[in-house]
């Protein structure tokens, strides 16, 4: 359906006139596509076009260097269709990038770089070197986004990936967001503002400190899941975060991005009850077995006057600090069950939360995560409908958070008319492991658009952590822009061309093998990146795969044999090495699954010699994994820990910042409450955390086998927790921040070591790993 943004502007002008006369913004008569256009225009910042052009030109300069103004000219043109761009050549030989806003201009640059010059970016490589004698091809290209809104971020990404970022890292990521066409995102930093609000209300600083979580755990404190864990959050850090968030928002709006700000969801410090004994506070259910000291705060009934008072104070302060694009996010029941299971309660609660936003900003839209509806039996149709229809149509915008696997828009009949964004979640905890659902994403977006009475207004990506499986995010964002399904084989083939800068049949075939294996998941299993190598050892694991592992072995071999065609001095050799590390790691991960199945079989059959032989093999695998990971800067524990210490406002806080960084990726809580949820296959963690756990496990089982007694798994849990898992958070040993060794030589050596073992032992049956009885020593 072709819609003109000018009509959307005219319609919006009428709505705002009605608003000025005391009426509601009303999208009742709008179809999904119409509502998407109107909403996109409604939320767009009022940044002058010359500011957007300057910001877009700065992005180009950072991406391609000093010659940017010699090669490109930019123009923001509001007479174009919303979220569209045009590429043409000027008389002076420069390429003109014209777009509806600064983001569209940057999207045009990315399209030209990738599909005309054959060069692409990545989270780990945002600089593109162009030849000094380059003659820019003369092309004329027009493109318009099929998604009026393109969204990026998850509230958890700010803790799992962004926790320690400074402005330089943020600048690179904002450039990437602009190149991808991202038009809507969030700004969740709020702790300094809450301190002002709570102090003004009479809370003491020590009471506030007991509520605010540490720097690596703020996402879950904001959603009411925990309180105070890994704190305190000092004044220096709060101030720095506030200033950084302001700088990020300014950069985003300068490009034309819309930014959603936090609103009050009802979660407050327990001490507030001391000041307001007459108000109704609800106890929040325990989250993931956190003890009372760290779980949880209290929930103020949204219908209470106190709720309105706090919401008003907070939102006014937020808007003063950050400005506003008329969109605010909050999630009152993220992984928390509402205190009353009645539709009328859900309706009054949602209505009160929405009214708290509208009371400050009459044009407010509530951005809501749909995650609370996923696999939660509490949310019956009646409950969900009561909650979602408590605000007028178009005033709640829902992120259908994991559309590629658990779409909720189908179960809720397009969220009962409220607009929604189709999102790929994909990643939990920032874990590593090649994984994706390319075919489902390609078809799923189209199905959502064709759904009768669909209220779809956009597409997006909502990973809990980034820095992994870049191909899936690149694909999903391009698919969201496109109005038709993409040719998967052609897209993955071209991905190999632009990633490495060469057209080679081996590299093409490698990525097609990956497309048809690791990136072809089509199940309902919860893929959370917790594989044998990163899970606490036990005999209760059930390794799972959905593809033939020989495809990964073949793709690995093809990558190894392609080394000579990518010059070492080429800027894209870095991505080749990154992928070589990743696929080596992936194959070792699969091989560990195979070894585990054999080990379990040997134990159950009391085959002592076979168990000992396989134990040696598994420990050798950990050593090899450590070697290959240590050869790439993108797989080093040392970088994560160094960034945490550098982020600390002063040397006195470095110890707690390092504790936060270590605890999040291991124990995740005071006693391993969410153990290994955010596990990372990183050099340093493999050698000093995962391998020692497995060595201890294998030793204990071997002793039990020799003694002829059952292995005591309960005793091992306590032992490994006390000796390895919990102590790791408090250690201060320093890890390398620069890679060691030649990636290709290490990978080649590991390939020769493991290829025969895996080919001999791995069989697949009904998506389960099976190992033939003849495997292992005789």
């Amino acid at each position: 359906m072709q819609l003109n943004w000018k009509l959307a502007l005219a319609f919006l002008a009428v709505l705002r006139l009605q608003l000025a006369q005391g009426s509601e913004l009303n999208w009742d008569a709008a179809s999904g596509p119409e509502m998407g256009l109107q909403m996109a225009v409604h939320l767009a910042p009022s940044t002058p076009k010359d500011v957007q052009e300057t910001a877009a030109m700065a992005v180009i300069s950072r991406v391609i260097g000093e010659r940017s103004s010699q090669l490109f000219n930019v123009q923001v043109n509001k007479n174009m269709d919303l979220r569209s761009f045009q590429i043409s050549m000027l008389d002076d030989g420069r390429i003109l990038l014209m777009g509806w806003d600064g983001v569209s201009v940057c999207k045009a640059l990315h399209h030209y770089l990738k599909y005309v010059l054959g060069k692409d970016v990545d989270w780990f490589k945002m600089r593109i070197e162009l030849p000094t004698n380059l003659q820019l091809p003369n092309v004329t290209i027009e493109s318009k986004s099929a998604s009026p809104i393109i969204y990026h971020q998850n509230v958890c990404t700010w803790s799992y990936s962004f926790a320690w970022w400074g402005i330089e890292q943020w600048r690179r990521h904002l450039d990437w967001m602009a190149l991808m066409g991202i038009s809507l995102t969030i700004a969740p930093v709020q702790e300094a503002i809450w301190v002002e609000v709570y102090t003004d209300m009479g809370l003491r600083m020590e009471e506030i400190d007991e509520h605010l979580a540490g720097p690596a755990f703020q996402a879950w404190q904001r959603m009411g899941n925990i309180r105070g864990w890994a704190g305190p959050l000092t004044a220096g850090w709060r101030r720095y975060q506030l200033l950084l968030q302001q700088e990020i928002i300014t950069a985003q709006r300068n490009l034309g991005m819309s930014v959603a700000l936090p609103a009050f969801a009802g979660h407050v410090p327990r001490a507030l009850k001391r000041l307001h004994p007459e108000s109704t506070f609800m106890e929040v259910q325990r989250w993931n077995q956190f003890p009372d000291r760290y779980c949880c705060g209290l929930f103020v009934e949204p219908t209470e006057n106190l709720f309105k008072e706090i919401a008003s104070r907070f939102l006014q302060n937020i808007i003063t600090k950050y400005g506003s694009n008329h969109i605010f996010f909050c999630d009152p029941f993220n992984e928390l069950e509402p205190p009353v299971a009645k539709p009328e309660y859900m309706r009054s609660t949602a209505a009160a939360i929405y009214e708290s936003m509208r009371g400050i900003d009459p044009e407010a839209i509530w951005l809501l995560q749909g995650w609370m509806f996923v696999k939660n039996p509490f949310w019956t149709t009646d409950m969900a409908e009561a909650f979602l229809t408590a605000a007028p149509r178009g005033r709640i915008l829902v992120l259908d958070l994991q559309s590629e696997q658990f779409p909720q828009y189908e179960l809720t009949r397009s969220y009962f008319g409220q607009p929604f964004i189709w999102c790929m979640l994909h990643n939990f905890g920032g874990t590593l492991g090649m994984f994706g659902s390319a075919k489902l994403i390609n078809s799923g977006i189209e199905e959502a658009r064709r759904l009768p009475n669909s209220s779809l207004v956009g597409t997006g990506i909502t990973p809990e952590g980034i820095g992994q499986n870049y191909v899936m995010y690149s694909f999903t964002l391009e698919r969201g822009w496109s109005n038709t399904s993409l040719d998967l084989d052609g897209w993955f083939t071209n991905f190999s061309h632009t990633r490495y800068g060469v057209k080679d049949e081996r590299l093409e075939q490698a990525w097609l093998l990956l497309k048809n294996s690791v990136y072809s998941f089509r199940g309902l299993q919860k893929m959370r990146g917790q594989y044998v190598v990163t899970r606490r050892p036990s005999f209760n694991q059930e390794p799972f795969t959905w593809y033939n592992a020989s495809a990964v072995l073949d793709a690995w071999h093809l990558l190894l044999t392609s080394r000579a065609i990518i010059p070492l001095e080429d800027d894209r050799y870095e991505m080749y090495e990154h992928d070589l590390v990743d696929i080596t790691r992936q194959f070792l991960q699969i091989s560990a699954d195979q070894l585990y199945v054999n080990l379990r079989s040997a134990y159950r059959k009391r085959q002592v010699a076979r168990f000992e032989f396989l134990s040696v093999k598994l420990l050798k695998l950990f050593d090899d994994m450590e070697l290959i990971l240590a050869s790439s800067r993108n797989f080093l524990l040392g970088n994560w820990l160094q960034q945490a210490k550098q982020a600390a406002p002063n040397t006195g806080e470095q110890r707690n910042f390092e504790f936060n960084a270590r605890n999040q990726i291991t124990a995740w809580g005071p006693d391993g409450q969410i153990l290994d949820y955010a596990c990372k296959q990183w050099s340093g963690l493999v050698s000093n955390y995962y391998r020692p756990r497995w060595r201890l496990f294998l030793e204990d089982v071997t002793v039990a086998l020799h003694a002829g007694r059952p292995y005591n798994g309960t005793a091992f849990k306590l032992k490994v927790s006390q000796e390895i898992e919990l102590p790791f958070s408090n250690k201060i040993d320093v890890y390398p921040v620069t890679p060691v060794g030649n990636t290709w030589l290490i990978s080649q050596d590991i390939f020769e070591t493991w290829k025969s073992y895996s080919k001999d032992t791995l069989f697949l049956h009904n998506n389960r790993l099976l190992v033939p009885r003849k495997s292992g020593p005789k």
Side-chain angles (χ1 to χ4, degrees):
M1 183 176 184
Q2 294 295 317
L3 295 170
N4 192 298
W5 79 274
K6 293 180 181 179
L7 295 178
L9 269 179
F11 187 83
L12 193 62
V14 173
L15 292 181
R16 285 180 168 160
L17 178 61
Q18 293 173 345
L19 186 71
Q21 296 171 345
S23 302
E24 281 274 0
L25 276 174
N26 190 336
W27 275 290
D28 280 346
S31 66
E34 290 170 339
M35 185 161 46
L37 280 174
Q38 294 156 12
M39 185 171 289
V41 173
H42 174 63
L43 298 178
S46 58
T47 308
K49 74 169 194 171
D50 61 319
V51 174
Q52 296 193 46
E53 289 169 350
T54 300
M57 202 66 217
V59 172
I60 298 172
S61 179
R62 286 189 292 270
V63 172
I64 67 172
E66 301 176 342
R67 299 173 58 225
S68 57
S69 60
Q70 302 169 22
L71 301 175
F72 294 97
N73 190 18
V74 304
Q75 183 179 338
V76 171
N77 184 349
K78 288 296 182 180
N79 288 320
M80 298 175 65
D81 284 341
L82 181 101
R83 309 276 179 246
S84 66
F85 66 76
Q86 296 176 5
I87 304 173
S88 60
M89 178 168 277
L90 297 171
D91 291 340
D92 61 8
R94 291 183 299 166
I95 293 297
L96 173 63
L97 306 172
M98 185 187 301
W100 184 80
D101 57 5
V103 168
S104 302
V105 169
C106 293
K107 175 68 176 177
L109 171 71
H110 179 251
H111 186 95
Y112 189 84
L113 291 173
K114 182 174 183 179
Y115 290 102
V116 178
L117 299 184
K119 295 176 178 289
D120 203 1
V121 295
D122 181 278
W123 284 319
F124 296 115
K125 191 186 80 67
M126 280 300 297
R127 184 63 181 264
I128 290 179
E129 300 296 334
L130 297 179
T132 55
N133 60 349
L134 175 67
Q135 295 294 316
L136 294 177
N138 183 357
V139 296
T140 300
I141 299 171
E142 295 185 3
S143 182
K144 177 183 175 181
S145 175
S147 298
I149 297 172
I150 298 182
Y151 176 83
H152 166 47
Q153 284 183 22
N154 182 309
V155 289
C156 298
T157 324
W158 283 75
S159 290
Y160 285 133
S161 294
F162 306 154
W164 320 121
W165 281 14
I167 190 58
E168 290 306 314
Q169 285 169 296
W170 264 110
R171 182 66 68 183
R172 289 192 294 273
H173 194 64
L174 295 176
D175 290 349
W176 176 83
M177 290 170 63
L179 294 178
M180 298 300 111
I182 305 297
S183 62
L184 175 63
T185 187
I186 59 173
V189 175
Q190 55 195 271
E191 282 64 36
I193 296 170
W194 276 121
V195 170
E196 289 184 28
V197 171
Y198 289 143
T199 301
D200 288 346
M201 294 183 69
L203 284 183
R204 298 187 294 267
M205 196 61 230
E206 58 268 26
E207 294 173 319
I208 300 173
D209 282 340
E210 290 177 357
H211 181 72
L212 300 179
F217 300 95
Q218 290 173 261
W220 301 277
Q221 164 240 303
R222 292 165 182 163
M223 293 184 287
N225 303 125
I226 59 175
R227 68 182 183 102
W229 169 241
L233 208 59
T234 61
W237 176 248
R238 296 194 303 268
R239 177 64 178 163
Y240 168 73
Q241 277 199 305
L242 178 66
L243 294 173
L244 179 62
Q245 183 72 92
Q246 288 174 326
E247 193 165 357
I248 293 167
I249 291 172
T250 297
Q252 289 166 330
R253 289 181 178 145
N254 283 350
L255 284 163
M257 292 183 198
S258 306
V259 183
L261 305 179
F264 180 49
H267 302 287
V268 297
R270 291 192 174 192
L272 202 63
K273 192 172 185 178
R274 172 179 63 81
L275 300 177
H276 297 273
E278 76 289 350
S279 296
T280 303
F281 296 88
M282 307 293 284
E283 291 284 343
V284 177
Q285 72 176 91
R286 192 172 303 281
W287 186 73
N288 281 301
Q289 302 304 309
F290 268 76
D292 287 342
R293 180 180 175 185
Y294 302 116
C295 183
C296 300
L298 295 174
F299 183 70
V300 183
E301 282 289 344
T303 54
E304 289 275 327
N305 288 331
L306 179 62
F307 184 99
K308 298 173 186 176
E309 177 191 349
I310 297 173
S312 176
R313 285 173 180 257
F314 177 68
L315 210 51
Q316 286 177 335
N317 205 324
I318 278 280
I319 293 174
T320 299
K321 296 291 195 301
Y322 295 151
S324 172
N325 295 125
H326 310 299
I327 183 165
F328 306 92
F329 70 93
C330 75
D331 299 285
F333 305 119
N334 179 73
E335 298 182 4
L336 299 171
E337 192 161 300
V340 179
K342 294 182 178 180
E344 52 268 29
Y345 175 81
M346 302 315 305
R347 181 177 297 278
S348 63
T349 295
I353 293 173
Y354 164 67
E355 285 298 325
S356 73
M357 300 176 197
R358 196 178 74 92
I360 301 301
D361 182 352
E363 299 182 44
I365 291 175
W366 176 5
L367 182 67
L368 175 74
Q369 290 189 132
W371 183 248
M372 64 184 183
F373 302 121
V374 177
K375 289 196 166 184
N376 187 341
F378 175 91
W379 291 100
T380 62
T381 300
D382 289 345
M383 293 290 194
E385 185 172 12
F387 188 90
L388 290 165
T389 58
R393 184 170 186 255
R395 305 308 291 272
I396 295 179
L397 173 58
V398 184
L399 297 174
D400 194 72
L401 217 64
Q402 196 179 8
S403 305
E404 82 277 21
Q405 190 176 18
F406 299 116
Q408 299 303 296
Y409 64 84
E410 297 175 335
L411 301 176
T412 57
R413 301 194 296 276
S414 277
Y415 289 100
F416 306 104
Q418 295 289 15
F420 73 93
I421 297 175
W422 191 105
C423 299
M424 179 191 76
L425 199 160
H426 180 266
N427 180 269
F428 293 84
T431 56
L432 303 186
M434 288 184 168
F435 160 71
S437 305
K439 292 180 181 178
L440 287 180
I441 291 162
N442 203 25
S443 61
I445 291 175
E446 187 64 24
E447 290 168 5
R449 287 173 176 164
R450 293 178 179 272
L451 191 72
N453 300 314
S454 176
S455 55
L456 177 72
V457 297
T459 53
I461 55 172
T462 52
E464 286 191 351
I466 62 171
Q468 40 69 39
N469 291 293
Y470 179 76
V471 64
M472 290 308 306
Y473 299 92
S474 176
F475 175 79
T476 302
L477 290 170
E478 287 196 30
R479 178 63 187 89
W481 183 279
S482 173
N483 62 0
T484 60
S485 297
L486 300 178
D487 172 15
L488 282 173
D489 283 357
W491 192 93
F492 273 80
T493 297
N494 186 65
F495 183 82
S496 75
H497 299 165
T498 59
R499 191 163 180 81
Y500 308 123
V502 293
K503 294 184 178 181
D504 181 81
E505 187 176 349
R506 290 165 297 183
L507 294 172
E508 294 172 357
Q509 187 59 31
W511 277 98
L512 289 175
L513 284 167
L514 294 175
K515 183 213 78 167
N516 293 323
S517 56
V518 293
Y519 297 121
S520 66
F521 179 70
R522 298 182 64 89
L524 297 179
Q525 295 85 352
K526 293 182 179 180
M527 305 305 295
R528 302 293 172 89
Q530 296 176 342
Y531 305 99
V532 163
V533 290
T534 55
R535 292 184 64 186
R536 174 190 278 171
S538 75
F539 284 127
N540 299 322
Q541 299 185 35
E542 294 294 338
F544 167 82
T545 190
W546 59 95
Y547 56 90
N548 192 327
S550 65
V552 177
L553 180 67
D554 292 341
W556 182 15
H557 184 243
L558 288 166
L559 278 178
L560 282 168
T561 60
S562 303
R563 177 197 188 194
I565 65 170
I566 307 174
L568 287 171
E569 64 276 8
D570 193 289
D571 62 321
R572 281 167 289 194
Y573 191 79
E574 180 182 352
M575 295 319 305
Y576 169 74
E577 285 195 318
H578 172 92
D579 293 345
L580 199 53
V581 171
D582 202 24
I583 200 167
T584 307
R585 177 210 53 72
Q586 180 72 15
F587 195 76
L588 290 175
Q589 171 191 296
I590 299 168
S591 298
D593 290 349
Q594 301 167 229
L595 280 166
Y596 170 79
V597 174
N598 272 307
L599 279 162
R600 187 175 60 187
S601 172
Y603 167 74
R604 290 173 176 173
K605 296 176 181 178
R606 319 303 290 180
Q607 297 171 330
V608 180
R610 183 181 177 215
F611 186 89
E612 291 178 332
F613 173 82
L614 293 170
S615 296
V616 172
K617 294 282 289 185
L618 182 58
L619 294 178
K620 164 64 174 169
L621 182 146
F622 278 106
D623 293 337
D624 286 344
M625 182 174 280
E626 173 67 22
L627 276 175
I628 191 63
L629 295 173
S631 72
S632 171
R633 71 181 69 255
N634 301 327
F635 296 87
L636 302 180
L637 169 64
N639 285 330
W640 173 253
L641 298 181
Q642 183 187 63
Q643 289 170 15
K645 288 182 284 189
Q646 289 177 341
N650 54 65
T651 55
E653 295 183 52
Q654 286 184 351
R655 184 70 194 86
N656 187 46
F657 273 60
E658 182 173 2
F659 173 85
N660 271 258
R662 286 171 173 265
N663 184 267
Q664 186 205 87
I665 59 177
T666 54
W668 214 124
D671 300 302
Q673 273 72 14
I674 321 179
L675 182 70
D676 300 322
Y677 179 85
C679 59
K680 304 290 188 294
Q681 293 179 47
W682 284 345
S683 167
L685 268 181
V686 169
S687 59
N688 285 0
Y689 184 76
Y690 300 129
R691 187 185 189 278
R693 286 201 305 193
W694 276 96
R695 185 190 67 241
L696 186 63
F697 173 78
L698 296 170
E699 289 172 352
D700 281 9
V701 176
T702 300
V703 169
L705 284 171
H706 278 285
R709 58 175 171 77
Y711 159 71
N712 189 334
T714 302
F716 172 76
K717 286 181 181 179
L718 179 62
K719 184 178 180 181
V720 73
S721 174
Q722 297 301 317
E723 293 185 14
I724 297 174
E725 293 167 349
L726 297 182
F728 187 85
S729 296
N730 291 293
K731 290 185 176 181
I732 57 172
D733 38 333
V734 178
Y735 293 88
V737 294
T738 56
V740 177
N742 182 296
T743 295
W744 189 89
L745 291 176
I746 295 170
S747 181
Q748 176 67 31
D749 184 58
I750 294 174
F751 178 83
E752 294 298 330
T753 299
W754 289 96
K755 65 177 182 180
S756 59
Y757 173 81
S758 295
K759 280 188 174 181
D760 290 343
T761 59
L762 181 63
F763 288 83
L764 290 170
H765 179 68
N766 292 333
N767 289 331
R768 294 281 181 149
L769 280 164
L770 296 178
V771 182
R773 294 180 180 178
K774 64 180 181 180
S775 299
K778 304 229 186 215

